[in-house]
Amino acid sequence: MSPEPEYRQWLHGQLRMAVWIAGALAACGLVGLFLSALGVPDAVTWPAAAGAAVGGGWAADRWRRRREERG
């Protein structure tokens, strides 16, 4: 048996995590930037940005799954 399938599985997991993190960072940054530009207090900006990070990570993962299903 070749170790290649195990390596591919590991690499696939790393790619999944990278896509999730990229989506989370993008959403957090955009929401934080937008709310800060509007002058919203930090007590509101930080929780909103954290929530957006979770939503952005989830959305990026859904995008990745749809891409995989297409082939």
Side-chain angles (χ1 to χ4, degrees), residues 1-31:
M1 263 196 163
S2 171
E4 185 173 290
E6 185 176 318
Y7 178 74
R8 286 181 186 258
Q9 186 178 9
W10 177 83
L11 188 60
H12 185 261
Q14 296 299 309
L15 178 63
R16 285 181 53 193
M17 183 60 73
V19 168
W20 198 97
I21 289 171
L25 286 175
C28 180
L30 288 174
V31 168

Side-chain angles (χ1 to χ4, degrees), residues 2 4-5 10 17 19 30-31 36 40 44-45 48-49 54 58 62 64 66 71:
S2 171
E4 185 173 290
W10 177 83
M17 183 60 73
V19 168
L30 288 174
V31 168
S36 291
V40 176
V44 175
T45 301
V54 172
W58 179 82
R62 293 293 301 155
R64 181 197 52 80
R66 282 195 309 268

